[in-house]
Amino acid sequence: MASRLDGNSISFKAIYSKAFRFWPLMAVVYLTTSILIGVGFLALIIPGLIVMARTSYAQFYCVLENKGPIEAIKKSWNETRENQWILLIGLVVMYSAIEVTDWMASKTLTAIGAHYVFVHIVASILNCTLFSLPIVFAFRMYSDRKATIKEQQDQVFEL
């Protein structure tokens, strides 16, 4: 994503080399945010949704800005304050739409007599494909925020 933002081209080997370098850090980010979101859901669901929205940039700070997992989560928490409700609503709508689509596809395939394995494979492919949408949404919000900050900094330097 960083090379795409910078307009640079990167080789296939370099892509996977960089991806494997970040994998352990991202595993810690995902595990930590999952635990935080789970605790939030135990506290009557709404706190879990807020934690989900507020930690949605952590993966980008980890990979694109080389932040450690805890630092990335803290920075995400601080940087999403202004847009937390937009993020929350957008993510809830997307995840809900994904779940409804998955449920409808599974029910439809089961109703026409499709074998369980086939239903499971189709539902898994559908889920894997659609679950990229919330990440893309969060990335667009993240990149818009970065662009806004850059514009503000440029205006300060012009003065």
Side-chain angles (χ1 to χ4, degrees):
M1 284 190 269
S3 62
R4 184 59 103 184
L5 283 175
D6 297 339
N8 298 327
S9 179
I10 189 167
S11 74
F12 185 76
K13 183 179 177 182
I15 289 171
Y16 280 96
S17 174
K18 288 183 183 222
F20 286 123
R21 184 175 56 122
F22 285 107
W23 188 87
L25 296 172
M26 290 299 294
V28 173
V29 167
Y30 287 135
L31 179 63
T32 306
T33 56
S34 295
I35 290 168
L36 292 171
I37 292 166
V39 169
F41 275 116
L42 289 174
L44 301 176
I45 300 183
I46 299 298
L49 294 173
I50 292 170
V51 171
M52 178 185 66
R54 297 288 298 273
T55 59
S56 63
Y57 293 176
Q59 58 195 334
F60 309 126
Y61 289 123
C62 185
V63 174
L64 300 177
E65 298 184 17
N66 294 313
K67 305 289 184 199
I70 302 304
E71 186 181 1
I73 292 167
K74 286 179 181 177
K75 188 166 185 181
S76 178
W77 187 265
N78 293 330
E79 296 293 321
T80 54
R81 181 171 285 121
E82 292 176 21
N83 294 326
Q84 76 178 3
W85 299 112
I86 295 169
L87 282 163
L88 186 139
I89 291 167
L91 292 171
V92 166
V93 166
M94 285 185 196
Y95 284 126
S96 298
I98 290 167
E99 290 303 320
V100 168
T101 303
D102 178 49
W103 178 80
M104 288 174 48
S106 295
K107 290 295 181 190
T108 303
L109 290 171
T110 302
I112 62 172
H115 191 273
Y116 171 77
V117 173
F118 178 73
V119 171
H120 182 71
I121 290 171
V122 170
S124 295
I125 291 170
L126 187 63
N127 266 340
C128 289
T129 304
L130 294 177
F131 266 103
S132 64
L133 295 176
I135 296 170
V136 171
F137 171 71
F139 180 72
R140 293 297 305 161
M141 294 290 294
Y142 163 84
S143 58
D144 287 349
R145 170 122 175 97
K146 299 304 282 180
T148 301
I149 291 170
K150 185 172 177 358
E151 287 173 12
Q152 291 170 347
Q153 289 172 342
D154 290 345
Q155 289 174 355
V156 168
F157 287 126
E158 288 176 2
L159 298 175

